[in-house]
Amino acid sequence: DSKSAGAAGSTAILLVEDEFLVRLFAVDALEDAGFRVLQAQTAAEALQVLRGAPDVQAAVIDMGLPDRPGDQVAAEIQALRPGLPIVIASGRSGRELHERFAGQSRVAVLVKPYTAELLVGALAEVGVAP
């Protein structure tokens, strides 16, 4: 399914998710919506991908990564690319994350399990469209 995967000019999203099935679902949802998706399974991989991909326009980060918590990765990404819109996906209560990122208009919280519509909606919330 590569109808939009390599389309020039499409919005590039960095997806950081270590669970295979969740990553597969999210990639499909984002590509179906018209995004181009770059994938990482760990925080270290995410930062490496981001350094090599200046066209990334947003990141979707899972809270439960194997090497560091997602909110820490978000902070590292914000240090590398200030102002980059970020969606934090978590299976835990959204409230503590909403509080943690309160006042940051470029950060949205997405509670797992999520639908394709909620994922695309969270990106729209931080100003990112395909």
Side-chain angles (χ1 to χ4, degrees):
D1 181 340
S2 60
K3 59 179 179 290
S4 61
S10 60
T11 303
I13 302 292
L14 171 60
L15 174 68
V16 191
E17 171 61 68
D18 62 316
E19 288 178 54
F20 177 74
L21 292 175
V22 177
R23 195 170 65 250
L24 205 62
F25 167 78
V27 167
D28 277 350
L30 291 167
E31 287 182 349
D32 286 349
F35 291 104
R36 190 162 53 85
V37 185
L38 301 166
Q39 301 174 48
Q41 296 177 53
T42 64
E45 201 181 327
L47 296 168
Q48 189 180 356
V49 169
L50 194 65
R51 286 188 187 100
D55 61 332
V56 166
Q57 288 157 9
V60 177
I61 305 167
D62 176 40
M63 266 305 282
L65 295 170
D67 51 347
R68 318 201 242 305
D71 53 352
Q72 191 180 326
V73 181
E76 291 173 41
I77 285 175
Q78 287 172 325
L80 259 182
R81 299 276 296 277
L84 186 78
I86 292 176
V87 172
I88 302 274
S90 174
R92 287 181 294 177
S93 153
R95 187 168 349 126
E96 66 183 74
L97 286 173
H98 280 293
E99 288 168 7
R100 162 103 170 67
F101 292 103
Q104 294 193 40
S105 63
R106 306 296 275 173
V107 179
V109 176
L110 182 61
V111 178
K112 287 176 158 183
Y114 53 78
T115 62
E117 292 75 19
L118 287 170
L119 176 55
V120 172
L123 284 163
E125 200 182 307
V126 292
V128 181

